[in-house]
C-alpha cells in the first residue's frame, strides 16, 4: 500500500511516503543479511511484493504531533517481517505453488530452505522491535505471533469440519489475521506515547479491519479471477478449509456438506462447489458481513483525537473494500 494510494497533502505525503521508504529500505537490508541460498530465499519473499498495509497502519497510528520516530519505523518493519515469515511457513504447510502470481519460496527452494527462511524472518522481526527497548511492544508482538500459531493450528484441526460454527470461524480469523492488524495499530500508538484509551481504540480498529480483510479474502477464493489474484479460485475447497461463504452456502444447500467433507475432490467437484456457493447468494452475504466489520471499524475512529488520523485510517478501510471489488 504505497503512499500514492492516498489523497495526502504534500506534508503528509512527505511524512508517510518517507516513512514507508524507510520501512522498505530496512526490509531490503534485513533480507540481504543472510549469506547464500537463505538470503536469496528471503529476498525472493520480499520481491513477491505486497500492499504493506500492516506497516502503513503502524505509521498512521503514531501520534501526528511529532515526526515519525525510529521506534515507530522499527515497529512497522517488525510487523511486516513477521507477516512475511508467516506467509513462507503457511506456503510450506499448504504446499502452495503460487503467492501473488509468483512461485512460492517452498516451490522454488524446497521445504528445508523455506522453513529456514521463515524462521530467520521470525527471529529478525523480534530483534528489530527489541531494539526500541520497549518491553511492552515486544510482549504485544509476541502475543500476536502466538495467536498466529494458534490460528494455524485451528485451521488444521478444522479441516473439513462441516459442523464448524460461525463463532469458531471468526475466532480463527482473529488469530490468523486480525491479531496482527490490531498489534500493527497498537504499536504505532504505543511507541509514540499515545494514551492507553487511544491505543485501545486503534487496536480495536485494527482488529475489525483484519476480520473484514480475512472475510473478503475468503470471498475472493470463491469468486476471484486467477489472473487478478495470482491463485486459482477454490483453494480453500481443495484444502478442506471451511470459510464463511461455505458455511453460509451450506445453510441454504445442506447437500453441499457431503462434498465439502470429502478429501478426494476432483477439479469438477471443486467447480461444482463454487457454482453452488454462487447460486445460494453466500458470496454476497459473506461480503455483507465484511462490510459490517468495516463499518464498526470506522465507528471506533470517533475516539481518535486527530482529524487527520481519522480520515486517513478511514481511507485505509475504504481501500480494503476497494481491493476486493
Amino acid at each position: 500500500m504505497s503512499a500514492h494510494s492516498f489523497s495526502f497533502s504534500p506534508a503528509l505525503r512527505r511524512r508517510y511516503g518517507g516513512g514507508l521508504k524507510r520501512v522498505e529500505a530496512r526490509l531490503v537490508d534485513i533480507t540481504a543479511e543472510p549469506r547464500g541460498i537463505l538470503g536469496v530465499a528471503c529476498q525472493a519473499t520480499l520481491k513477491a511484493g505486497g500492499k504493506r498495509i500492516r506497516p502503513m497502519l503502524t505509521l498512521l497510528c503514531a501520534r501526528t504531533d511529532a515526526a515519525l520516530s525510529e521506534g515507530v519505523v522499527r515497529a512497522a518493519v517488525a510487523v511486516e517481517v513477521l507477516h512475511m515469515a508467516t506467509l513462507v511457513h503457511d506456503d510450506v504447510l499448504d504446499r502452495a505453488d503460487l503467492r501473488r502470481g509468483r512461485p512460492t519460496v517452498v516451490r522454488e527452494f524446497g521445504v528445508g530452505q523455506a522453513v529456514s527462511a521463515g524462521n530467520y524472518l521470525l527471529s529478525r522481526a523480534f530483534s528489530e522491535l527489541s531494539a526500541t527497548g520497549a518491553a511492552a511492544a515486544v510482549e504485544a508482538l509476541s502475543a500476536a505471533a502466538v495467536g498466529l500459531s494458534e490460528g494455524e493450528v485451528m485451521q488444521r484441526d478444522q479441516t473439513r469440519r462441516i459442523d464448524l460454527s460461525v463463532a469458531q470461524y471468526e475466532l480463527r480469523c482473529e488469530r490468523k489475521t486480525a491479531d496482527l492488524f490490531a498489534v500493527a495499530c497498537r504499536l504505532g500508538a504505543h511507541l509514540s506515547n499515545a494514551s492507553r484509551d487511544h491505543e485501545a481504540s486503534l487496536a480495536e480498529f485494527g482488529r475489525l479491519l483484519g476480520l473484514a480483510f480475512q472475510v473478503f479474502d475468503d470471498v475472493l477464493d470463491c469468486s476471484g479471477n486467477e489472473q487478478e489474484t495470482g491463485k486459482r479460485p477454490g483453494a480453500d475447497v481443495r484444502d478442506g478449509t471451511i470459510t464463511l461463504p461455505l458455511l453460509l452456502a451450506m445453510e441454504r444447500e445442506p447437500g453441499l456438506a457431503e462434498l465439502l467433507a470429502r478429501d478426494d475432490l476432483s477439479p469438477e467437484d471443486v467447480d461444482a462447489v463454487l457454482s453452488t456457493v454462487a447460486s445460494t447468494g453466500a458470496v454476497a452475504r459473506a461480503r455483507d458481513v465484511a462490510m459490517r466489520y468495516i463499518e464498526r471499524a470506522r465507528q471506533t475512529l470517533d475516539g481518535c483525537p486527530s482529524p487527520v488520523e481519522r480520515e486517513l485510517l478511514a481511507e485505509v478501510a475504504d481501500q480494503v473494500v476497494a481491493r476486493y471489488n
Side-chain angles (χ1 to χ4, degrees), residues 102-163:
R102 297 168 60 107
T104 60
V105 173
V106 66
R107 169 69 183 273
E108 197 166 358
F109 301 98
V111 171
Q113 290 297 339
V115 170
S116 295
N119 290 346
Y120 167 78
L121 293 169
L122 181 65
S123 66
R124 289 299 283 111
F126 286 98
S127 63
E128 188 71 13
L129 189 58
S130 65
T132 66
V138 176
E139 184 177 347
L141 190 65
S142 298
V146 170
L148 286 164
S149 297
E150 290 175 345
E152 188 60 40
V153 171
M154 287 180 193
Q155 183 164 309
R156 301 292 153 184
D157 287 346
Q158 294 168 359
T159 299
R160 297 183 180 84
R161 276 276 309 279
I162 55 175
D163 61 341

Side-chain angles (χ1 to χ4, degrees), residues 16-229:
Y16 295 113
L20 277 180
K21 285 181 180 178
R22 290 163 67 186
V23 169
E24 202 67 28
R26 191 73 191 116
L27 292 174
V28 170
D29 289 344
I30 287 172
T31 55
E33 283 176 11
R35 296 181 178 179
I37 194 68
L38 177 59
V40 176
C42 289
Q43 290 169 55
T45 304
L46 181 62
K47 289 175 183 176
K51 296 293 185 181
R52 306 288 186 256
I53 186 171
R54 295 160 189 81
M56 177 56 94
L57 285 171
T58 303
L59 301 181
L60 289 176
C61 288
R63 285 173 50 174
T64 57
D65 56 357
L68 290 172
S69 69
E70 181 66 17
V72 169
V73 172
R74 281 187 177 274
V77 171
V79 167
E80 185 65 9
V81 173
L82 176 58
H83 175 56
M84 290 165 59
T86 63
L87 295 183
V88 175
H89 283 160
D90 283 354
D91 286 341
V92 171
L93 292 170
D94 296 339
R95 301 182 296 279
D97 291 331
L98 292 176
R99 166 75 66 179
R100 297 169 183 149
R102 297 168 60 107
T104 60
V105 173
V106 66
R107 169 69 183 273
E108 197 166 358
F109 301 98
V111 171
Q113 290 297 339
V115 170
S116 295
N119 290 346
Y120 167 78
L121 293 169
L122 181 65
S123 66
R124 289 299 283 111
F126 286 98
S127 63
E128 188 71 13
L129 189 58
S130 65
T132 66
V138 176
E139 184 177 347
L141 190 65
S142 298
V146 170
L148 286 164
S149 297
E150 290 175 345
E152 188 60 40
V153 171
M154 287 180 193
Q155 183 164 309
R156 301 292 153 184
D157 287 346
Q158 294 168 359
T159 299
R160 297 183 180 84
R161 276 276 309 279
I162 55 175
D163 61 341
L164 189 72
S165 69
V166 172
Q168 289 170 320
Y169 164 81
E170 183 180 76
L171 180 59
R172 189 180 80 211
C173 292
E174 288 218 27
R175 296 296 172 267
K176 278 187 64 68
T177 305
D179 282 355
L180 192 54
F181 274 70
V183 80
C185 295
R186 182 180 294 281
L187 292 179
H190 181 77
L191 289 166
S192 61
N193 299 312
S195 71
R196 288 188 178 182
D197 287 346
H198 186 189
E199 183 181 324
S201 293
L202 290 172
E204 177 64 3
F205 168 82
R207 185 186 76 86
L208 292 166
L209 186 67
L211 285 170
F213 190 93
Q214 185 59 61
V215 174
F216 276 132
D217 202 59
D218 292 342
V219 165
L220 196 64
D221 187 69
C222 289
S223 61
N225 183 298
E226 183 175 356
Q227 292 183 333
E228 295 176 359
T229 65

Side-chain angles (χ1 to χ4, degrees), residues 304-316:
C304 294
S306 167
V308 171
E309 224 166 42
R310 286 197 296 271
E311 291 169 8
L312 295 180
L313 288 169
E315 199 169 331
V316 172

